[in-house]
Amino acid sequence: MKRIWALKGLIATVAICTATVACANHDPKGKSKSSVELGPRPYYLLADMDEGPLKQALQDCANQPRPQQASDFSIGHRGAPLQFPEHTEESYRAAARMGAGIVECDATFTKDRELVCRHSQCDLHTSTNILDTDLAGQCSEPFTPFDGSNPASARCCTSDITLAQFKTLKGKMDGSNPRATTVEEYLKGTAGWRTDLYSQSGTLLSHRESIALFQQLGVKMTPELKAPQVSMPYEGDYRQQDYANQLIEEYRQAGAPPQDVFPQSFNLKDVRYWIGHHPRYGQQAVYLDGRDSQGLDPQNPGTWQPDMDTLAGYGVNIIAPPLWMLVTVDGSNRIVPSAYARAARAAGLDIIAWSLERSGPLVNGGGWYYQSIQPAINNDGDTFTLLDVLARDVGVIGVFSDWPATISFYASCQKFLHGKRPALP
């Protein structure tokens, strides 16, 4: 198994780091980090677990008075969007406070070709207040109310507005009401298991501003280059390669060390571009695997094109599929690694999983992210059961979560799990 830069010994570091307060409060370069506060959720999940050795070990850990620690194993997925509007300063700060050692800015571009943090180029109508501002008139498609048959709709893209205009908007919980007859109703589409408590003042950031914030917080960075939703080359001369290059250049100009940056893309061509043109940053480039939409079956190697060995031959070191592609259930309905996970490890690829705590309550099987293990899922406490299999049996080097405290708690408990199951690989 290859290990690169910051990833070398990562899982071992999860356990070692718990031994010292300094590890939580300072990075190796001495930059100040916030103290870690986990809040009540990890303990709620722990109380909800089925009885067994894992629950007992985690309870023993929870009963030990000690400072909580930050960990690179814990990755803030868009920040901490279980409660805070995604890709906002508030969401990022919350993720760092909860011990995420790595935080994500999904990057797309504005009309004036500036990179900003948004999950999609065209999600402003559901993730910001743009429809409730004068900028609504610049949206690609105006708000259209529900007419009794067709759902309410709109389409507002970062490429519809400039960076300066983008910065006047406020982030909100991503969601919309398809039966809305007014803009006010349309903007109230938050899932019942999330909250709008912090949706009134979400501070939007440019990609450059996110880098500065992450450096201030002392966390590492994992930007995702989002697929353009406008024709490329944009306006005739802004090519995909220019877009991919711009992302890396902003880290280089900010003085962000390559070992602190994990650039991601679902587009394998982007990953190979970084490997070939920015090899120091490309060495930690993450290939986000969304090929299930193209027929990839995690249990059927014949559907993996290219296969794991070919990806490794391209120079890819890290692959990141959704949670469900990495696990399945055995004859006793126990969660076990999938053929996909075993093949990735055999090819020398490191694995990052996404995204824990994004499906709402797990009482009914967990939804899309848990589709391969639904017979084994019946309560929120199963979050830790899955996480333990991902860490120990699959051997992932990190996990994205919408509430990083859960993974931070698990990572800090590693020494209490030794002897209960095989040590982390």
Side-chain angles (χ1 to χ4, degrees):
M1 170 61 66
K2 65 188 74 168
R3 283 291 181 266
I4 49 179
W5 282 334
L7 297 179
K8 293 180 179 178
L10 175 61
I11 300 301
T13 302
V14 168
I16 295 169
C17 208
T18 61
T20 171
V21 176
C23 184
N25 294 330
H26 299 277
D27 73 4
K29 297 185 178 180
K31 290 184 291 187
S32 176
K33 287 188 178 182
S34 301
S35 59
V36 173
E37 300 173 5
L38 298 182
R41 180 166 173 79
Y43 308 100
Y44 159 78
L45 297 176
L46 175 55
D48 198 44
M49 288 183 70
D50 297 333
E51 297 299 327
L54 177 60
K55 180 174 183 177
Q56 185 60 56
L58 291 173
Q59 285 177 327
D60 291 345
C61 171
N63 291 332
Q64 298 295 318
R66 70 194 191 288
Q68 295 295 333
Q69 312 299 329
S71 170
D72 288 356
F73 191 70
S74 177
I75 307 173
H77 179 239
R78 314 184 200 178
L82 189 61
Q83 286 199 359
F84 295 88
E86 64 186 45
H87 294 307
T88 61
E89 179 178 348
E90 293 78 9
S91 190
Y92 292 150
R93 288 188 180 277
R97 177 67 68 177
M98 288 188 283
I102 305 172
V103 182
E104 178 187 46
C105 164
D106 292 336
T108 187
F109 57 86
T110 61
K111 186 176 182 63
D112 49 351
R113 306 182 188 184
E114 295 290 342
L115 300 185
V116 295
C117 298
R118 284 292 89 196
H119 178 64
S120 168
Q121 187 164 39
C122 295
D123 72 359
L124 296 183
H125 51 288
T126 61
S127 67
T128 76
N129 66 336
I130 190 170
L131 289 177
D132 200 28
T133 74
D134 292 341
L135 292 175
Q138 295 181 215
C139 290
S140 298
E141 298 176 11
F143 171 71
T144 302
F146 173 62
D147 64 6
S149 334
N150 300 305
S153 65
R155 180 180 173 87
C156 303
C157 307
T158 57
S159 50
D160 292 334
I161 59 177
T162 66
L163 173 60
Q165 291 171 324
F166 174 84
K167 289 289 293 175
T168 67
L169 301 177
K170 297 296 182 182
K172 74 173 192 69
M173 277 293 181
D174 189 19
S176 61
N177 177 3
R179 300 181 68 84
T181 57
T182 67
V183 166
E184 182 181 14
E185 290 176 348
Y186 185 76
L187 295 176
K188 294 178 179 178
T190 302
W193 44 273
R194 295 184 184 269
T195 177
D196 285 319
L197 186 61
Y198 306 108
S199 284
Q200 307 307 311
S201 58
T203 305
L204 302 190
L205 298 177
S206 70
H207 180 241
R208 291 183 186 274
E209 288 173 327
S210 77
I211 297 172
L213 176 63
F214 296 158
Q215 289 175 321
Q216 174 195 338
L217 295 173
V219 298
K220 295 174 184 175
M221 307 155 234
T222 184
E224 180 188 337
L225 193 75
K226 301 304 298 187
Q229 292 187 274
V230 294
S231 297
M232 298 293 276
Y234 178 60
E235 297 182 334
D237 63 347
Y238 185 63
R239 304 168 301 159
Q240 183 71 25
Q241 298 95 318
D242 299 321
Y243 179 33
N245 182 68
Q246 184 178 353
L247 182 87
I248 300 301
E249 279 298 308
E250 293 194 358
Y251 286 96
R252 188 186 63 78
Q253 292 166 11
Q259 61 266 32
D260 287 355
V261 182
F262 298 79
Q264 315 169 73
S265 180
F266 281 98
N267 185 345
L268 183 57
K269 291 181 179 179
D270 293 335
V271 176
R272 296 187 69 183
Y273 174 84
W274 292 327
I275 292 169
H277 293 80
H278 296 279
R280 296 180 65 214
Y281 289 93
Q283 192 168 3
Q284 292 192 158
V286 180
Y287 174 42
L288 296 166
D289 196 347
R291 292 177 292 169
D292 58 293
S293 63
Q294 304 166 21
L296 184 149
D297 177 353
Q299 297 298 112
N300 181 0
T303 65
W304 311 341
Q305 301 298 327
D307 62 20
M308 301 300 181
D309 289 328
T310 301
L311 289 173
Y314 289 156
V316 174
N317 289 315
I318 310 172
I319 193 168
L323 301 170
W324 68 269
M325 285 171 55
L326 292 170
V327 286
T328 187
V329 293
D330 64 13
S332 301
N333 281 340
R334 294 178 302 181
I335 303 172
V336 295
S338 66
Y340 175 104
R342 295 194 302 270
R345 291 293 303 275
L349 297 174
D350 288 317
I351 305 170
I352 293 173
W354 50 272
S355 296
L356 211 66
E357 298 173 286
R358 189 154 185 84
S359 293
L362 302 188
V363 64
N364 295 317
W368 186 84
Y369 285 91
Y370 297 81
Q371 60 185 279
S372 64
I373 55 171
Q374 287 183 349
I377 300 294
N378 59 24
N379 59 56
D380 285 349
D382 287 330
T383 299
F384 279 130
T385 305
L386 171 59
L387 182 56
D388 191 55
V389 172
L390 290 171
R392 292 170 171 272
D393 299 336
V394 174
V396 301
I397 61 170
V399 181
F400 281 93
S401 177
D402 279 21
W403 199 246
T406 300
I407 299 176
S408 300
F409 168 78
Y410 176 87
S412 74
C413 283
Q414 284 307 306
K415 62 182 179 180
F416 290 89
L417 301 179
H418 290 173
K420 302 295 182 181
R421 300 186 63 200
L424 287 168

